Amino acid sequence: MMKAVRFHGQGDIRLEEIEVPKCGKGQVKVKPAYVGICGTDLHEYLGGANLIPTTPHPITKEKAPLTLGHEFSGVIEEVGDDVHDIQIGQRVSVQPIIYDGTCGSCRDGLINCCDNNGFIGLSGWGGGLSEHVVVPRAAVYEIPEQVSMKLGALVEPISVAWHSLDISPLKKGDKVLVLGGGPIGLAVIQCLKARGAGTIIASEVSPRRKEFAKNFGADHVLDPTQDDIVTRVREICGGVGADIAFDAAGVQSGLDQALKAIRAQGTLVNIAVWEKPAQLQMNDLIFRERKYVGVTTFVAGDFRHVLDAIAEGKLQPELMITGVIKMDEVEEKGFKALIEEKDKHVKILVEMGYPETFEGFMVRDQAKWTEFHKQEVTHLLAITPSSVDMPSKFTPKKFQDRDIDIKIECCGVCGSDVHTINKGWGEVPMPLCVGHEVIGTAVKVGDKVTTVNVGDRVGVGAQIWSCLECKMCKSDNENYCPNLIDTYGAPYPDEMGGVISQGGYSSHIRAHEYFTFKIPKDIPSVEAAPMMCAGLTVYSPLLRAGVGPGKKVAIVGVGGLGHFAVMFAAAMGAEVYVLSHSPDKEKDAKELGAKEFILTEKNDWSEPWAFTFDFMLNTADATHKFDIASYLSTLNVNGEMHHVGLPDAALPQIKAQLFAPNGCKMGGSHIGSRPEMFKMLQLVSEKKLKPRVETISISEAGCAEAVIGVDENKVRYRYTLTDYDKAFPNR
């Protein structure tokens, strides 16, 4: 089931639970992001049903009650079997016209004039004011990267204006009168400005809308209650009148004034939908050879033109948005606000597509760390005893200006997940949802987010926040910020909600923009996931050590971390050697780029390799069993043994004298920085690197299988949990 805003009759709209629509051939399923409330919606609410059918519509076969919303943007979440030219995750604007394709108008390409036409969101086939909607493939237009999802919801009303200019005889430099400063009138002004009109004159009563008209490009703004519109327009236009007038008001007095205000052989274009019959003074047309033209909505292609104009900066309609509300506020803060406070508003958008709580597969007790539970709960506000029986729906941190909500597609399974839930690294808050190798789709972005758009495919790693103010953060060392917050199991400050961070074995995750990374298109999600932690954890020290041509690099262990290290070091141009106790990994190691595979089982294995390696990266999880002296002896002068594998047990005791013979050193590191993440992704993309990944469907049993497989070394390299849409079907 899903939520939808439904029209039942005059003054009667309801937020209801209805069936989720199924996607068929030639169709796409869209998750709406933003929905505009249109004047047509208001007319239906105040006096309907008018356009909304009360008997079955000839095409949709539907009648009231119907789902509302015909101005909307969203994200593709499913495509029909025969749809191959658009991808899941693509951001789109929906062109809502319903047409039969067979009448004379349709055969002429005039779908807006179809004998049986209707609108998605007014005539059936669902609407934007719902959690999911299925529409024809031809109805969706991809939103350019430069265009936000909010602006994507404005494409429909702006396309009405764009089409009206196409129907008119507009030429560059023409003098134009626009009646009405509502959403369509303001859109006309913007389109006129973008398409080279000369003098633009607006006629509007509302003080606020007069300001908008001026801001959007009107050269003169007149008030018909104070100005003689005909006289003033003729004065402004050199005594002859405007070349064209656009009527977006639908008021008899305005029509009368406009007919007289245009010059001989001028054109009056009517865009307004009239509530009452209008009277047309034919002599005002005849004796000046003027033209009166009607325009309705738009045709195929107008959406593309408008989207391109916004992307190129020719149209900048952001100021049209005067309010953003939630789905459960549609009637009070949407419809009623536009009716009762219409002078304050131009366009109110409804923000859709994300829940207030997230759902996850959670461990309740560290003593039962292989038992995962998926069921409902309200809140996780503080550290709780590890035996608490608490269910698995959680409230994320408070949403802030630079936050991003991500609908998760897949998540890598890291050794850290196991160490955390099995108490290897100590007690942690319970219940807990682990997972910090997250790939998904941005479904909501904060007002100050500049690097990610809704619909972008993004990743999140092991860190989800830092102060961004300390010297570490300001030197691209935010992964060492003393106030950093881990992606799971860490408390947020009270001002962020005071909750415990929860990870990626869940429906969604909320992350700060700085710790959210756009994923290159050529890297598959299941392969990108383990790069978010494992990949970055080994790439960062390799980069900081200057690994490249002329360097001899030893990688200790060729498992989940190590196989990334071998692949990266080789791609960076180093001569790579693998040190391993597992002879069955030799073939894989060399395929990944290793020059030599050195078995460390014998006591004297290190002797032939003394003073060899410039840098040694230890990725193994069993360092507590190592003869550290043997490893250090293979380092070149001033070489380093660098640890990224973090076993539960302590390192073996060593003497300081071990560092003297070759001046070697030991070190370690914690994941990596944002710049290093992007450099790693660029390397993977350019070198077409392919990590070794096995997939498991996420479920209670699947999560258990994954963590047991990691703990018992059943996984050869990395696991990625997949099939999130099956596990969380209603998100």
Side-chain angles (χ1 to χ4, degrees):
M1 301 296 286
M2 69 173 187
K3 293 179 180 178
V5 176
R6 309 264 287 172
F7 174 90
H8 282 259
Q10 182 178 355
D12 185 4
I13 57 175
R14 308 175 195 174
L15 181 60
E16 300 178 322
E17 292 275 337
I18 63 173
E19 293 288 335
V20 177
K22 294 181 180 179
C23 185
K25 288 187 176 181
Q27 295 178 320
V28 295
K29 183 188 282 187
V30 177
K31 189 170 187 64
Y34 290 94
V35 186
I37 299 175
C38 177
T40 303
D41 299 325
L42 300 181
H43 289 311
E44 295 297 311
Y45 179 75
L46 291 170
N50 297 312
L51 296 178
I52 292 176
T54 54
T55 58
H57 187 274
I59 298 175
T60 69
K61 310 304 181 187
E62 298 179 51
K63 63 178 182 177
L66 293 174
T67 302
L68 294 172
H70 62 272
E71 302 177 356
F72 63 102
S73 62
V75 177
I76 299 291
E77 54 182 352
E78 186 180 344
V79 300
D81 292 340
D82 57 343
V83 175
H84 306 294
D85 61 343
I86 195 164
Q87 296 181 339
I88 292 173
Q90 176 63 54
R91 304 180 313 131
V92 295
S93 186
V94 178
Q95 189 270 84
I97 294 178
I98 295 171
Y99 54 95
D100 60 28
T102 59
C103 71
S105 297
C106 288
R107 291 198 302 271
D108 288 339
L110 302 174
I111 59 173
N112 56 327
C113 299
C114 174
D115 294 344
N116 296 304
N117 76 350
F119 270 72
I120 297 165
L122 287 171
S123 312
W125 290 356
L129 286 171
S130 61
E131 294 179 313
H132 310 274
V133 60
V134 170
V135 301
R137 163 61 185 95
V140 297
Y141 288 78
E142 297 179 22
I143 297 176
E145 185 175 356
Q146 310 95 307
V147 179
S148 72
M149 290 290 258
K150 287 181 180 178
L151 297 187
L154 298 181
V155 172
E156 196 273 353
I158 296 174
S159 291
V160 173
W162 191 275
H163 180 63
S164 72
L165 269 63
D166 284 341
I167 294 298
S168 79
L170 178 71
K171 304 184 301 298
K172 286 187 176 181
D174 276 351
K175 300 176 179 65
V176 183
L177 169 65
V178 179
L179 302 179
I184 299 300
L186 294 176
V188 169
I189 292 171
Q190 293 177 72
C191 291
L192 287 168
K193 197 75 175 177
R195 295 175 64 170
T199 302
I200 301 172
I201 308 163
S203 174
E204 171 58 47
V205 175
S206 162
R208 181 88 188 273
R209 290 186 172 185
K210 284 192 282 188
E211 290 179 16
F212 279 119
K214 191 72 174 177
N215 291 337
F216 281 126
D219 300 292
H220 303 271
V221 181
L222 307 179
D223 184 338
T225 65
Q226 300 177 10
D227 297 306
D228 183 327
I229 299 298
V230 176
T231 300
R232 288 288 292 119
V233 170
R234 287 179 177 173
E235 288 175 355
I236 293 168
C237 298
V240 296
D243 298 296
I244 306 170
F246 292 89
D247 185 358
V251 178
Q252 183 66 54
S253 59
L255 171 60
D256 295 339
Q257 292 167 347
L259 277 176
K260 291 182 170 65
I262 55 176
R263 64 174 176 79
Q265 295 190 340
T267 301
L268 173 56
V269 180
N270 181 82
I271 314 169
V273 176
W274 289 70
E275 294 181 352
K276 299 177 181 179
Q279 292 184 345
L280 189 62
Q281 303 300 322
M282 296 303 297
N283 288 345
D284 287 335
L285 291 176
I286 294 169
F287 293 121
R288 294 293 184 273
E289 295 187 349
R290 294 166 176 144
K291 303 174 188 67
Y292 185 73
V293 180
V295 174
T296 182
T297 63
F298 33 77
V299 295
D302 288 331
F303 266 49
R304 182 79 276 143
H305 293 311
V306 170
L307 283 164
D308 289 345
I310 297 174
E312 294 166 7
K314 295 177 181 177
L315 290 173
Q316 298 179 345
E318 291 89 348
L319 291 177
M320 289 180 69
I321 303 169
T322 52
V324 179
I325 62 174
K326 295 181 180 179
M327 194 177 183
D328 59 2
E329 300 172 327
V330 165
E331 185 168 19
E332 292 300 322
K333 294 185 179 181
F335 280 62
K336 289 183 179 179
L338 288 168
I339 293 166
E340 297 169 4
E341 302 175 318
K342 63 181 181 180
D343 288 349
K344 295 182 180 180
H345 290 289
V346 177
K347 182 64 65 175
I348 291 178
L349 298 184
V350 184
E351 190 172 25
M352 307 283 293
Y354 69 95
E356 294 299 325
T357 56
F358 301 160
E359 191 173 14
F361 292 94
M362 307 180 81
V363 174
R364 298 175 179 169
D365 187 340
Q366 286 181 286
K368 300 176 181 179
W369 61 274
T370 62
E371 295 181 9
F372 288 80
H373 302 270
K374 175 179 177 276
Q375 56 195 78
E376 293 189 354
V377 74
T378 54
H379 232 81
L380 294 177
L381 282 176
I383 296 178
T384 55
S386 63
S387 61
V388 164
D389 182 14
M390 184 177 269
S392 306
K393 203 173 195 180
F394 55 89
T395 301
K397 70 173 285 290
K398 177 183 176 183
F399 192 87
Q400 295 176 296
D401 286 343
R402 293 192 66 190
D403 282 343
I404 298 169
D405 278 356
I406 300 162
K407 185 177 79 169
I408 300 175
E409 176 187 350
C410 60
C411 181
V413 180
C414 184
S416 302
D417 301 346
V418 177
H419 291 302
T420 299
I421 58 177
N422 72 3
K423 226 177 212 180
W425 290 348
E427 291 193 0
V428 294
M430 285 282 132
L432 186 65
C433 181
V434 294
H436 57 210
E437 298 181 337
V438 176
I439 302 295
T441 302
V443 294
K444 179 184 179 183
V445 300
D447 290 340
K448 294 183 179 178
V449 170
T450 60
T451 60
V452 171
N453 289 314
V454 170
D456 285 344
R457 187 172 61 121
V458 295
V460 174
Q463 182 177 355
I464 208 158
W465 188 87
S466 75
C467 73
L468 299 180
E469 294 293 336
C470 67
K471 70 176 183 179
M472 279 69 72
C473 289
K474 290 184 176 181
S475 61
D476 290 334
N477 287 301
E478 69 278 358
N479 45 316
Y480 299 107
C481 174
N483 298 309
L484 69 80
I485 295 176
D486 295 322
T487 297
Y488 57 75
Y492 278 103
D494 290 343
E495 60 267 26
M496 298 185 198
V499 299
I500 301 299
S501 61
Q502 302 291 335
Y505 296 10
S506 58
S507 60
H508 301 76
I509 195 166
R510 179 167 291 169
H512 189 281
E513 172 186 22
Y514 198 80
F515 300 96
T516 304
F517 313 99
K518 290 178 69 171
I519 306 300
K521 292 182 179 179
D522 55 353
I523 303 178
S525 294
V526 294
E527 296 176 8
M531 296 176 195
M532 296 298 100
C533 177
L536 182 61
T537 294
V538 299
Y539 179 78
S540 174
L542 291 172
L543 183 68
R544 295 188 185 209
V547 166
K551 296 283 188 177
K552 292 185 177 181
V553 175
I555 307 298
V556 181
V558 63
L561 288 171
H563 95 287
F564 272 114
V566 174
M567 188 166 56
F568 289 162
M572 295 164 81
E575 194 172 283
V576 182
Y577 299 75
V578 168
L579 312 184
S580 175
H581 67 275
S582 303
D584 66 327
K585 294 284 186 76
E586 180 172 1
K587 181 175 181 292
D588 287 354
K590 290 185 175 178
E591 288 176 353
L592 290 165
K595 178 182 179 182
E596 296 283 350
F597 186 87
I598 303 167
L599 278 173
T600 58
E601 293 177 322
K602 296 180 181 180
N603 290 334
D604 59 352
W605 70 268
S606 61
E607 292 179 6
W609 304 101
F611 294 96
T612 299
F613 306 122
D614 301 296
F615 186 72
M616 179 182 293
L617 187 63
N618 176 24
T619 70
D621 203 14
T623 310
H624 58 290
K625 300 177 182 179
F626 282 10
D627 175 14
I628 295 290
S630 297
Y631 288 87
L632 294 179
S633 71
T634 66
L635 291 171
N636 201 353
V637 174
N638 297 137
E640 178 185 356
M641 183 179 186
H642 191 97
H643 298 271
V644 291
L646 303 176
D648 296 343
L651 292 175
Q653 286 189 343
I654 58 175
K655 293 183 178 181
Q657 288 90 327
L658 289 177
F659 299 100
N662 53 2
C664 67
K665 54 193 173 185
M666 282 208 306
S669 55
H670 177 244
I671 49 176
S673 68
R674 178 178 174 87
E676 289 166 345
M677 177 71 85
F678 286 119
K679 288 179 182 178
M680 177 195 70
L681 292 171
Q682 183 180 3
L683 178 72
V684 171
S685 180
E686 290 178 352
K687 299 291 186 179
K688 303 188 185 306
L689 304 181
K690 303 286 288 184
R692 309 292 174 91
V693 178
E694 302 168 51
T695 61
I696 297 175
S697 293
I698 190 169
S699 64
E700 292 178 353
C703 292
E705 177 189 350
V707 296
I708 291 170
V710 171
D711 184 60
E712 298 180 357
N713 290 318
K714 292 178 180 178
V715 60
R716 192 160 179 84
Y717 296 107
R718 302 297 292 192
Y719 284 139
T720 296
L721 295 169
T722 58
D723 294 328
Y724 274 61
D725 283 340
K726 293 180 182 177
F728 306 107
N730 297 321
R731 54 188 179 146

